[in-house]
Amino acid sequence: MFRVGIGHDTHRLGPGGPLKLGGIDVPHTAHAIGHSDADVLLHAITDALLGASSLGDIGELFPDTAAENKGRDSAEMLSLAYEKVKAAGYKINNLDCIVFAQKPKLSPYKQIICQRVASILGIETNQVGLKAKTGESVDAVGHEQAIQSQCVVLLLKN
């Protein structure tokens, strides 16, 4: 049995880097603003996994009103969410992710990000796809006011 999930996240950008993305620090002049460490990619992956397995969403599991989630490492949140997915009887077949950011250029970091995501989830690097898109100087992403990410996941029933 297959299950498909989609995740999306958006965060405002503020001055001063680095930018936390996919569990690594990407050198940049801005950082994402959020209650946790604001890693948009890991948040989108978390939501995709939870949605595919009908386990809610990241805000339900890790509410921004809870003090223990202030500054929390998104890799920890992703790992805990995936434990719930596995307990529900599913495993990851693959992830396909997109990061929308005008800057920085992510090509030099894509492989290491995929490796880090795979490491967090205990899967192979070739199960993680990552694309980077600019905002083409349009809307909040294009004007470097925000960063966004989307993820689609295919789960397999154990």
Side-chain angles (χ1 to χ4, degrees), residues 101-156:
Q102 189 67 30
K103 290 180 184 169
K105 295 297 182 191
L106 297 176
S107 292
Y109 306 98
K110 286 168 50 176
Q111 185 61 29
I112 193 167
I113 290 171
C114 289
Q115 290 169 346
R116 176 66 177 131
V117 169
S119 173
I120 294 165
L121 295 169
I123 61 177
E124 298 296 319
T125 304
N126 66 4
Q127 291 176 272
V128 181
L130 178 61
K131 298 176 287 293
K133 302 292 180 185
T134 68
E136 296 293 332
S137 299
V138 177
D139 70 28
V141 170
H143 293 124
E144 300 180 52
Q145 298 168 334
I147 185 168
Q148 297 180 330
S149 185
Q150 292 180 344
C151 176
V152 175
V153 63
L154 177 63
L155 296 181
L156 303 174

Side-chain angles (χ1 to χ4, degrees), residues 8-136:
H8 174 90
D9 197 32
T10 302
H11 282 278
R12 289 177 294 118
L13 294 173
L19 178 65
K20 182 69 105 176
L21 192 59
I24 69 162
D25 288 334
V26 175
H28 190 42
T29 58
H31 70 281
I33 299 168
H35 187 72
S36 68
D37 67 6
D39 189 322
V40 293
L41 178 57
L42 296 188
H43 291 183
I45 294 169
T46 301
D47 261 351
L49 289 168
L50 293 170
S53 51
S54 297
L55 294 172
D57 63 42
I58 194 170
E60 293 170 18
L61 201 57
F62 306 103
D64 64 6
T65 54
E68 65 268 18
N69 295 325
K70 178 75 175 159
R72 192 168 192 172
D73 183 351
S74 295
E76 178 188 4
M77 295 190 303
L78 176 56
S79 181
L80 291 169
Y82 190 40
E83 288 302 318
K84 290 184 173 292
V85 170
K86 291 189 289 188
Y90 297 98
K91 65 180 180 179
I92 294 171
N93 184 73
N94 70 296
L95 304 168
D96 187 20
C97 307
I98 306 170
V99 174
F100 300 89
Q102 189 67 30
K103 290 180 184 169
K105 295 297 182 191
L106 297 176
S107 292
Y109 306 98
K110 286 168 50 176
Q111 185 61 29
I112 193 167
I113 290 171
C114 289
Q115 290 169 346
R116 176 66 177 131
V117 169
S119 173
I120 294 165
L121 295 169
I123 61 177
E124 298 296 319
T125 304
N126 66 4
Q127 291 176 272
V128 181
L130 178 61
K131 298 176 287 293
K133 302 292 180 185
T134 68
E136 296 293 332

